[in-house]
Amino acid sequence: MGTTRHIRVDDTTVSAEIGPAGEVTIDDVRYSVEEIRRGLYRVADGERRWTVAVSRAADTGWISIDGQVAQFESEANSSRPRKKRSLGPGALASPMPATVVSLPVPPGTAVRQGDTLIVLEAMKMELPV
């Protein structure tokens, strides 16, 4: 048995079962999933293909498909233990799928703690980082 995720889009919630080979089943439709790179996947149902971005924080995550963002939560008793991944030295990760709106600091500029280095937009909200 795989892991179940509950996905919320607006007022609708669906359950997605993630199988041992990474395939996903939602409402009896099976989707193949191919990892392009960490957090970015190619998903197909046999006829159509989508590029899907996934971001996680604790027990909540976000899925972005064609500009539509959905939120998911892990079931408390998942059958697979969660692995904590390291991004590596000097890496920076967005707390959710987002679009870079601006880079207010030119490359090579000296910065201090608290300076905004990048502005992201997600779900019609801007997030200064």
Side-chain angles (χ1 to χ4, degrees), residues 40-92:
L40 194 62
Y41 302 88
R42 184 158 293 114
V43 177
D45 67 359
E47 297 175 20
R48 299 168 293 176
R49 292 168 43 138
W50 302 269
T51 301
V52 177
V54 178
S55 180
R56 295 180 186 100
D59 288 335
T60 301
W62 296 268
I63 302 169
S64 175
I65 306 169
D66 295 332
Q68 173 107 14
V69 177
Q71 186 176 14
F72 67 86
E73 296 177 5
S74 297
E75 245 185 32
N77 32 1
S78 163
S79 63
R80 288 192 299 191
R82 293 182 63 138
K83 269 197 220 174
K84 195 166 193 160
R85 294 186 189 175
S86 171
L87 293 175
L92 178 67

Side-chain angles (χ1 to χ4, degrees), residues 88-103:
L92 178 67
S94 170
M96 68 178 60
T99 302
V100 175
V101 175
S102 70
L103 299 167

